[in-house]
Amino acid sequence: MTVLGDRVQKEELLHLHMLFIHVRKYYETITNEEIPTERYNSLHISPVHIHKNKKSHKEAILVLGQEIVDHIGRKPAMLSFSHEMSTPSEIAVEN
């Protein structure tokens, strides 16, 4: 079984693909550095390409995710939490 199994609907893949784009852009915004995504860019697919097949979107998600993880993994732990953020005991848990 692959990470993105065959039972995943195309609409779900498009949402996940868009989420990864948002993750990349958010990281780039808060760090002021660009995540290199040459492999992803070479696929010539984006979440708005709704007519591309599921396999193409799965590949794009996996490649983009790997490039994000690889980039962040090469960086020293530079992201920190604000003192104003909730402590774990203050976080509400939904049952």
Side-chain angles (χ1 to χ4, degrees):
M1 179 176 199
T2 63
V3 174
L4 297 173
D6 292 332
R7 294 180 182 221
V8 176
Q9 299 295 317
K10 185 172 181 181
E11 184 176 335
E12 294 169 321
L13 288 173
L14 293 171
H15 286 292
L16 187 57
H17 194 168
M18 183 61 78
L19 178 62
F20 274 50
I21 295 295
H22 286 298
V23 167
R24 182 187 73 193
K25 288 183 184 209
Y26 177 75
Y27 178 87
E28 290 175 343
T29 300
I30 64 170
T31 63
N32 287 326
E33 61 183 54
E34 185 177 340
I35 296 176
T37 55
E38 290 85 15
R39 288 178 38 226
Y40 172 76
N41 296 341
S42 73
L43 298 174
H44 303 288
I45 185 170
S46 80
V48 298
H49 294 140
I50 60 174
H51 299 299
K52 298 262 184 164
N53 62 33
K54 284 174 55 172
K55 182 180 178 195
S56 296
H57 283 284
K58 284 181 190 181
E59 181 180 12
I61 291 165
L62 294 173
V63 168
L64 180 57
Q66 190 63 57
E67 287 181 320
I68 292 169
V69 168
D70 289 348
H71 179 77
I72 294 172
R74 287 190 295 269
K75 299 292 177 185
M78 58 185 267
L79 299 178
S80 62
F81 292 99
S82 166
H83 295 300
E84 289 136 20
M85 293 183 76
S86 300
T87 61
S89 62
E90 295 173 344
I91 297 174
V93 178
E94 188 175 315
N95 291 325

